[in-house]
Amino acid sequence: MKKLLGLIIKVVVAVVVAIFAIISIVAGNIVTFGMHDYAREVDVIIVLGAGLTSHGKPSPVFAERINHGIRLYQEGYAKKLMFTGGFGEGSHMSDSQSAKNYAIAHGVAEEDILLEERSKITEENLYYAHQVMQEEGIHTALLVSDPLHMKRAVAMAKDLGMEAYSSPTKTTRYVSLRTQLPFLAKETVYYIGYCVFHFLGRGAVIPLSY
């Protein structure tokens, strides 16, 4: 009995250590990936949504993403900007429309802006953005988001069949450990969950039902 109990304890400890090691490796990869900017000339710059304030303006996190997208556009990385994000609860304006208004106010030509207004989560941002790309005959994209968000976003985009590259924001709002650690923990869980579902044969990214 003691030998069996000892064996069980050893197995449990080994499993816990293995899980911790996997989580640590994934978290490290997320951090490392987000430290690199893979910006190159593409057809469109896609800015992933991050919600609005109670006044209908881009949230501080979203504004930093938009600012980075505008800089890339002004530096000639693409001739088109696409903003993503649908309607929040009780909102009369989509996240992407608010971003468009912000970009126009900062010198972006209206005709150079595309919108995706149906999504509520990252997965849908990319799914519907890809549909817009297909409708517009656009083939390559540069994804803009916070550094810790980039690895999961690029993985989803590539699983959709998008030729996508990442350009993380240089001025992310997640700068202190107090804000970075919860974000990293969330992204690690989400990324592992996404990989597991995909490995189990989930296949292409499918949007949630409304």
Side-chain angles (χ1 to χ4, degrees), residues 98-171:
S98 179
K100 177 180 178 179
N101 295 342
Y102 182 101
I104 290 173
H106 287 77
V108 179
E110 183 173 4
E111 60 268 23
D112 291 342
I113 299 175
L114 299 172
L115 299 184
E116 175 286 299
E117 296 185 278
R118 301 171 64 185
S119 65
K120 293 184 178 179
I121 59 176
T122 300
E123 192 171 13
E124 294 175 344
N125 285 162
L126 295 162
Y127 181 88
Y128 292 121
H130 189 223
Q131 286 190 347
V132 174
M133 288 175 66
Q134 292 175 318
E135 292 166 3
E136 297 289 331
I138 292 172
H139 304 289
T140 57
L142 192 56
L143 304 183
V144 171
S145 189
D146 289 87
L148 297 178
H149 191 209
M150 293 296 348
K151 187 170 180 64
R152 182 165 62 97
V154 170
M156 288 180 170
K158 291 188 174 181
D159 286 339
L160 279 166
M162 294 171 61
E163 184 180 341
Y165 307 93
S166 66
S167 183
T169 58
K170 301 293 189 294
T171 52

